């Protein structure tokens, strides 16, 4: 049985049990005081021992009296439930909740994603010290993230399991014209618009390809705070007729864009693994990706795609020229290898089996 806890209330009906956290009324002190008083009262009445366990654990870790009481408030939607496992889908979700599992007598599991390990700790030193102390088992989406977590203080004595992302292979099926290129060649990237996706390098690559006389269209799906800056970079590079920002899209529309594209390009500086790259491979798109972290576990260089240096626009452009110079059959072989590997190793059924093992072992 699965119970889902989230940061907010919802009136939507789900096929699973769902409980949202008590609201925080930052703009209404009176309303917040009333909500806080009622929530704490019910927590103490319904779960006095668990509330006390959480309070004392927080105090033992150095939290002030008020911080410890606030922690009961923030986690009141969890401590009332009898659980065998309390699992956090992201390491950052476990912050200020590190003691909850032990307080309610459950085991604690946590998943590592790219942002958790690559970005957040660089801005928040020793942020996971309490997490490492309390976690019973960890899940990582790539070997790279696990190795980096060890360098951040995770103990080798804590049990772990690598379970890669998976996709719905029924939704992402190989297209019939896999390996063929249109005119112009359609290149696609999917990802939020921020520095970690390395779009500046991608734009530099497109500038080189244009100078080489290659006819192409480069579509970018995603939204983010870097849109204005990236649009200006495109303008400065005289690529307004070649590079297009398509914004945020529904999953079904992304599928359609992949089926209409010829090459998938992921230029990221860092990636935990890269779900969009899996989806592109499953669709039958030849993939050119950077040598960023988890992408080196996602693609088998020269067999299911191509891996290039993330900071070398000239080398990436040369790889594009090489791929475009291949015959249709040669590109189709790579695309077929990739699609077959995704279907075999990265399907939902495999992921369900591995997560069942994760919580059963």
């Amino acid at each position: 049985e699965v119970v889902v806890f989230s940061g907010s209330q919802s009136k939507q009906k789900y096929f699973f049990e769902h409980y949202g956290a008590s609201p925080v009324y930052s703009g209404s002190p009176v309303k917040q005081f009333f909500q806080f008083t009622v929530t704490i009262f019910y927590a103490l009445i319904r779960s006095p021992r668990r509330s006390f366990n959480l309070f004392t654990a927080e105090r033992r870790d150095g939290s002030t009296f008020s911080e410890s009481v606030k922690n009961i408030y923030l986690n009141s939607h969890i401590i009332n439930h009898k659980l065998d496992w309390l699992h956090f889908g992201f390491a950052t979700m476990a912050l200020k909740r590190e003691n909850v599992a032990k307080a309610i007598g459950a085991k604690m599991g946590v998943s590592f994603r790219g942002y958790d390990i690559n970005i957040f700790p660089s801005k928040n030193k020793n942020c996971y010290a309490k997490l490492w102390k309390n976690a019973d088992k960890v899940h990582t989406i790539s070997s790279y993230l696990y190795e980096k977590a060890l360098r951040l203080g995770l103990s080798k004595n804590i049990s772990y399991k690598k379970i890669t992302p998976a996709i719905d292979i029924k939704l992402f099926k190989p297209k019939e014209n896999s390996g063929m290129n249109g005119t112009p060649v359609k290149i696609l990237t999917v990802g939020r618009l921020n520095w970690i996706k390395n779009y500046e390098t991608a734009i530099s690559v497109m500038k080189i390809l244009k100078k080489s006389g290659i006819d192409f269209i480069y579509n970018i799906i995603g939204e983010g705070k870097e849109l204005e800056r990236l649009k200006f970079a495109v303008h400065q590079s005289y690529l307004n007729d070649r590079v297009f920002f398509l914004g945020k899209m529904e999953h079904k529309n992304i599928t359609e864009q992949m089926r209409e594209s010829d090459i998938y390009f992921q230029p990221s500086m860092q990636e935990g693994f890269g779900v969009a790259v899996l989806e592109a491979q499953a669709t039958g798109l030849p993939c050119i990706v950077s040598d960023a972290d988890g992408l080196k576990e996602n693609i088998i260089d020269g067999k299911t795609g191509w891996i290039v240096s993330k900071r070398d626009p000239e080398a990436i452009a040369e790889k594009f020229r090489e791929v475009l110079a291949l015959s249709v059959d040669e590109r189709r072989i790579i695309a077929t290898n990739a699609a077959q590997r995704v279907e075999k190793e990265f399907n939902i059924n495999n992921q369900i089996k591995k997560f069942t093992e994760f919580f059963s072992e």
Side-chain angles (χ1 to χ4, degrees):
E1 295 180 9
V2 177
V3 180
V4 176
F5 302 102
S6 68
S8 60
Q9 304 284 345
S10 174
K11 294 181 179 180
Q12 184 176 341
K13 298 296 182 181
Y14 300 99
F15 66 90
F16 48 79
E17 283 189 75
H18 169 255
Y19 299 92
S22 296
V24 176
Y25 301 106
S26 56
S28 178
V30 174
K31 195 173 185 179
Q32 182 61 69
F33 176 79
F34 177 76
Q35 181 70 52
F36 187 86
T37 302
V38 171
T39 300
I40 293 296
F41 175 77
Y42 275 109
L44 294 175
I45 293 297
R46 296 177 64 184
S47 306
R49 182 181 292 276
R50 294 179 177 192
S51 299
F52 179 76
N53 289 344
L54 181 56
F55 177 83
T56 54
E58 291 297 320
R59 292 287 284 159
R60 188 168 54 246
D61 285 340
S63 297
T64 65
F65 181 90
S66 62
E67 287 172 340
S68 300
V69 176
K70 285 180 182 177
N71 225 295
I72 297 175
Y73 178 82
L74 293 172
N75 296 292
S76 59
H77 61 310
I78 301 175
I79 60 178
N80 292 329
H81 295 269
K82 179 174 174 55
L83 306 171
D84 297 304
W85 280 89
L86 179 60
H87 186 86
F88 297 97
F90 293 80
T92 50
M93 286 183 175
L95 298 177
K96 297 188 181 300
R97 297 185 174 92
E98 297 95 338
N99 289 312
V100 176
K102 284 186 172 60
I104 66 175
K107 292 181 180 179
M108 178 180 177
V110 62
S111 293
F112 296 156
R113 314 285 175 176
Y115 176 79
D116 292 326
I117 305 300
N118 286 327
I119 307 302
F120 193 80
S122 66
K123 299 184 289 184
N124 301 272
K125 191 175 181 181
N126 297 324
C127 58
Y128 295 138
K130 285 173 64 176
L131 176 60
W132 302 150
K133 185 174 69 173
N134 289 285
D136 292 293
K137 195 169 187 177
V138 298
H139 152 238
T140 182
I141 61 174
S142 65
S143 298
Y144 160 79
L145 289 180
Y146 175 69
E147 293 297 329
K148 191 165 184 178
L150 292 177
R151 296 195 294 273
L152 291 171
L154 176 68
S155 171
K156 289 185 177 181
N157 295 326
I158 296 177
S159 178
Y160 85 98
K161 192 175 185 68
K162 175 183 171 181
I163 307 174
T164 63
I167 65 168
D168 185 352
I169 56 177
K170 294 179 182 178
L171 182 61
F172 294 90
K173 292 184 178 180
K175 57 181 187 173
E176 294 179 1
N177 61 343
S178 179
M180 293 181 64
N181 287 336
T183 304
V185 175
K186 283 191 173 182
I187 303 167
L188 179 68
T189 297
V190 179
R192 63 192 184 279
L193 305 182
N194 70 4
W195 67 269
I196 204 168
K197 297 299 181 180
N198 199 20
Y199 288 115
E200 287 89 347
T201 295
I203 292 168
S204 296
V205 171
M206 299 305 138
K207 186 176 180 179
I208 295 169
L209 293 181
K210 183 178 179 179
K211 287 182 177 179
S212 300
I214 295 173
D215 189 12
F216 69 89
I217 293 293
Y218 180 34
N219 289 321
I220 300 171
I221 297 175
E223 61 182 5
K225 59 184 180 181
E226 298 291 317
L227 177 60
E228 185 177 2
R229 187 165 68 88
L230 292 172
K231 280 189 171 182
F232 185 68
V234 169
H235 172 74
Q236 280 190 316
S237 302
Y238 302 99
L239 291 169
N240 288 319
D241 61 336
R242 303 292 185 100
V243 179
F244 300 95
F245 297 91
L246 305 184
K248 184 178 180 180
M249 284 190 176
E250 296 291 331
H251 219 168
K252 62 180 181 180
N253 299 123
I254 294 176
T255 308
E256 293 170 4
Q257 282 291 329
M258 286 185 173
R259 299 189 71 79
E260 294 173 4
S261 299
D262 302 309
I263 295 176
Y264 185 84
F265 180 33
Q266 194 70 53
S268 305
M269 297 289 286
Q270 292 180 321
E271 283 285 349
F273 196 81
V275 175
V277 178
L278 287 180
E279 294 171 344
Q281 291 176 84
T283 307
L285 276 179
C287 294
I288 298 175
V289 305
S290 73
D291 57 357
D293 316 324
L295 290 178
K296 291 185 286 188
E297 300 176 46
N298 194 318
I299 292 283
I300 302 175
D301 189 31
K303 184 175 181 181
T304 64
W306 298 272
I307 299 175
V308 292
S309 174
K310 55 179 169 280
R311 290 189 175 92
D312 194 338
E314 291 287 350
I316 299 172
E318 179 59 30
K319 181 59 67 177
F320 267 96
R321 287 190 285 262
E322 288 177 16
V323 172
L324 292 172
L326 294 173
S327 68
V328 172
D329 287 340
E330 288 173 317
R331 283 194 297 270
R332 184 176 291 128
I333 288 171
I334 295 292
T336 301
N337 288 343
Q340 290 176 346
R341 178 169 176 255
V342 171
E343 182 178 1
K344 180 181 178 182
E345 299 183 22
F346 302 102
N347 63 76
I348 294 293
N349 289 334
N350 278 353
Q351 191 183 54
I352 291 172
K353 179 182 177 183
K354 290 178 180 178
F355 267 112
T356 302
E357 292 170 353
F358 180 94
F359 294 113
S360 302
E361 292 172 346

